[in-house]
Amino acid sequence: MNIPLTDMTIEPVHGCDKRCPFCSLSQYPADSEVHYMDSNLFYNNILSFLKRHQTKFSKISFSRFGEPTMHPDLLDFIYQTRQAKPESKVTVITNGHQLRKRGDTSYIRELIKAGASHIMIDCYEYETFEIFENDKDGLEIEPSYGEKGTVWHTFENKILHVSFLNKPINQVDTQAGSVPYKNWESYSIDPKKLPKRVPCFQLCHQIVILYNGNVPICCKDGSKSLILGNIQERSIEEIWGSDFANELRYALFNCDRELIPPCALCSATCGGYYPLGFRKDYDRNHILDMVSARFKPDKDWVHNIREFHKENAIPKYLKELLDRKGFVL
């Protein structure tokens, strides 16, 4: 299959100054080590790819399993990305770390100046939102407060989206089974209603690059248990178009989520289209062999699957894979 790559998510930082219970990072101690992407990895591997890749990207996002604004070179990452892809949406998703650190919105203004076209600030406490409210002069805010206290701001075709969560979140996803199982019920996740026989097209348009160059199956896999490759060892083009990635796509297009452990416990789905070259026939055992060779879950994912198993049946192929890997449920 020839799958056009139009969406990239880059993780500048793995680690965060918060521990939200609906996030996969909540399973780690608050004093866990924070990992930063080597700037040379961004410039030599990611930026060089963006410069040579002719296809227009709909979105390039700096986010994922950490707080991106903690990276000392984020502003230059954004500036260089904007220069390489001037027509793309360049997004930053932050919990407001720099607002709390500086006590004002100066960093948000620097993000806009660097070239960020969309900034999402999720304020999980009133302190952060208050800092924004007290220093929004010049941002020409047009408030539109909804259930989450959302503000949209247009600034020279740029959008600033600020959410103050003034009421508990009641709908999140399992992040491919990496959110602690004990927290699922609190966020309206019913393990008996996971989308077992629903196609997913996330791997049809988006590539995720973690701080160390690893490429997980998708942005939801908080455990990073199934890696497609590493951009320091293979090019982004090779990883995206690899036989392994395509075999996973065949399984996901045909609703065989249980062949892929992160997907088997994922409550999210991504819509899309069937690409040219898509086929209905594929070898489940071959895919199982490929996944088994690469599947490396962390202890927290294993704990989650064991807790899940206490109340729910494990899908057939997932059970076979776990047996192959020697996991006792």
Side-chain angles (χ1 to χ4, degrees):
M1 288 185 291
N2 182 18
I3 308 291
L5 176 55
T6 59
D7 188 330
M8 176 182 286
T9 294
I10 303 164
E11 180 189 67
V13 177
H14 184 79
C16 187
D17 59 336
K18 307 197 76 62
R19 287 296 178 271
C20 303
F22 49 81
C23 176
S24 62
L25 291 178
S26 64
Q27 62 191 312
Y28 302 115
D31 59 352
S32 296
E33 182 180 1
V34 176
H35 301 279
Y36 299 88
M37 177 176 283
D38 187 313
S39 296
N40 289 326
L41 175 64
F42 174 81
Y43 296 125
N44 297 337
N45 299 82
I46 299 175
L47 183 62
S48 61
F49 167 79
L50 293 175
K51 288 179 176 179
R52 70 174 180 266
H53 192 69
Q54 298 302 311
T55 303
K56 178 183 176 181
F57 274 72
S58 60
K59 182 175 69 173
I60 302 170
S61 177
F62 292 88
S63 60
R64 227 43 266 140
F65 306 105
E67 173 50 46
T69 66
M70 293 169 66
H71 198 291
D73 292 331
L74 178 64
L75 293 173
D76 193 58
F77 289 176
I78 293 170
Y79 175 78
Q80 298 295 340
T81 299
R82 171 59 61 209
Q83 297 303 305
K85 293 294 180 186
E87 298 180 355
S88 298
K89 179 164 69 173
V90 179
T91 300
V92 179
I93 302 176
T94 172
N95 65 25
H97 167 77
Q98 289 289 351
L99 273 78
R100 294 188 299 277
K101 183 178 178 179
R102 297 189 179 191
D104 57 33
T105 62
S106 59
Y107 192 83
I108 303 304
R109 300 167 196 270
E110 289 175 23
L111 288 173
I112 294 172
K113 184 177 180 180
S117 56
H118 289 66
I119 305 170
M120 298 179 65
I121 310 173
D122 289 323
C123 306
Y124 298 120
E125 66 286 292
Y126 186 72
E127 172 200 356
T128 308
F129 189 69
E130 188 175 35
I131 292 171
F132 178 83
E133 285 283 278
N134 292 337
D135 188 35
K136 61 185 181 183
D137 290 349
L139 292 176
E140 302 173 8
I141 294 294
E142 295 181 3
S144 175
Y145 295 92
E147 285 189 358
K148 293 165 63 174
T150 301
V151 178
W152 288 93
H153 161 59
T154 302
F155 181 85
E156 297 179 358
N157 297 320
K158 297 173 174 60
I159 293 179
L160 178 60
H161 174 196
V162 182
S163 299
F164 168 51
L165 307 183
N166 54 11
K167 59 190 305 183
I169 296 176
N170 60 11
Q171 187 65 53
V172 296
D173 61 74
T174 65
Q175 293 186 15
S178 61
V179 172
Y181 182 75
K182 65 181 181 180
N183 296 341
W184 289 16
E185 185 178 358
S186 301
Y187 296 103
S188 305
I189 299 173
D190 185 346
K192 293 181 169 43
K193 294 183 179 180
L194 296 181
K196 299 175 183 177
R197 298 298 300 172
V198 178
C200 184
F201 297 87
Q202 188 75 8
L203 195 51
C204 235
H205 60 89
Q206 182 196 56
I207 192 168
V208 180
I209 302 174
L210 302 180
Y211 77 96
N212 57 3
N214 278 343
V215 177
I217 183 172
C218 92
C219 63
K220 298 295 184 182
D221 186 10
S223 70
K224 289 77 67 181
S225 60
L226 193 61
I227 300 300
L228 302 180
N230 187 291
I231 65 170
Q232 299 181 85
E233 300 168 357
R234 303 176 68 192
S235 71
I236 293 175
E237 294 95 331
E238 288 176 323
I239 294 172
W240 181 252
S242 67
D243 290 342
F244 182 51
N246 280 332
E247 291 298 325
L248 296 180
R249 291 180 180 115
Y250 291 132
L252 291 171
F253 296 164
N254 284 288
C255 310
D256 255 345
R257 298 165 70 103
E258 67 179 84
L259 288 172
I260 309 168
C263 306
L265 291 187
C266 189
S267 60
T269 59
C270 177
Y273 59 90
Y274 291 97
L276 294 174
F278 165 72
R279 67 171 190 257
K280 285 284 186 180
D281 59 307
Y282 60 101
D283 187 338
R284 286 187 174 88
N285 287 322
H286 176 57
I287 294 177
L288 208 60
D289 289 340
M290 297 179 78
V291 171
S292 178
R294 295 172 179 248
F295 179 52
K296 296 180 180 179
D298 60 18
K299 61 180 179 59
D300 297 293
W301 193 92
V302 173
H303 175 75
N304 262 6
I305 193 70
R306 286 174 176 155
E307 292 298 302
F308 175 89
H309 183 50
K310 289 178 180 179
E311 303 173 346
N312 308 274
I314 302 294
K316 173 185 173 183
Y317 288 105
L318 177 58
K319 178 65 165 60
E320 181 178 337
L321 176 64
L322 295 173
D323 288 344
R324 287 190 188 191
K325 303 294 287 188
F327 293 118
V328 179
L329 298 178

